[in-house]
Amino acid sequence: MFFDINNINHAYLVVSKNTEYAYSQVKEFIEQILESKDLQNNVDYRLIESEDGKSIKINQIRDMQSDVAIKPIKGDRKIYVIIDADKMNEQAQNCILKTLEEPPLYTSIFLITAFPEKLIDTVNSRVKR
């Protein structure tokens, strides 16, 4: 997986049958962007994944959107990673569209999935694959 630290996009779709490996690659890139190896304690980083193992719900996306509105605290960027993005229910996918269409300049969102076909077309069209 190749990312360009000099040209950071607002949204990426990372497709891999091995989402754990994909996340490890994305994580390395994010560590470079945020200049931090301690992402777990970085206020400008947020990991979103299914809370019940089945789906990512609209309230999780709404929480993310509330956080997106707040400027970065430690650095110049805020980063959000959604693991198994295909688990976003249709409501959650429709909800995230506004953020994908008009993100603040300081925001990057990474959608990681093994099943991009489960994402609605409008989500797929607003991210760099």
Side-chain angles (χ1 to χ4, degrees):
M1 236 168 277
F2 300 100
F3 297 103
D4 183 357
I5 193 74
N6 298 312
N7 185 20
I8 302 168
N9 287 312
H10 76 282
Y12 294 91
L13 176 63
V14 181
V15 178
S16 175
K17 294 297 177 198
N18 184 341
T19 56
E20 286 181 30
Y21 173 75
Y23 175 62
S24 72
Q25 298 298 297
V26 166
K27 189 176 171 193
E28 285 181 25
F29 182 52
I30 293 168
E31 288 171 347
Q32 289 177 25
I33 295 169
L34 296 178
E35 298 176 354
S36 171
K37 292 277 187 192
D38 186 17
L39 294 181
Q40 211 167 9
N41 294 311
N42 190 315
V43 294
D44 295 329
Y45 169 79
R46 190 148 167 213
L47 178 65
I48 300 160
E49 53 191 332
S50 173
E51 294 172 344
D52 61 8
K54 297 177 186 174
S55 66
I56 297 170
K57 300 188 174 40
I58 192 170
N59 66 327
Q60 292 175 268
I61 301 305
R62 285 184 178 146
D63 288 346
M64 180 195 89
Q65 289 171 322
S66 294
D67 191 66
V68 164
I70 302 166
K71 290 187 177 189
I73 295 171
K74 283 187 161 185
D76 297 334
R77 296 197 76 74
K78 289 185 88 166
I79 309 287
Y80 301 86
V81 176
I82 302 176
I83 294 185
D84 295 327
D86 55 277
K87 289 185 178 180
M88 282 189 288
N89 63 29
E90 192 171 344
Q91 287 178 315
Q93 289 187 51
N94 282 313
C95 184
I96 201 171
L97 283 175
K98 182 75 171 164
T99 306
L100 292 176
E101 290 169 351
E102 300 173 14
L105 293 175
Y106 53 78
T107 301
S108 290
I109 301 169
F110 292 82
L111 306 176
I112 301 175
T113 182
F115 305 102
E117 67 278 1
K118 291 185 178 182
L119 296 173
I120 58 177
D121 291 340
T122 46
V123 168
N124 273 304
S125 70
R126 285 164 177 76
V127 295
K128 180 177 180 178
R129 192 169 178 155

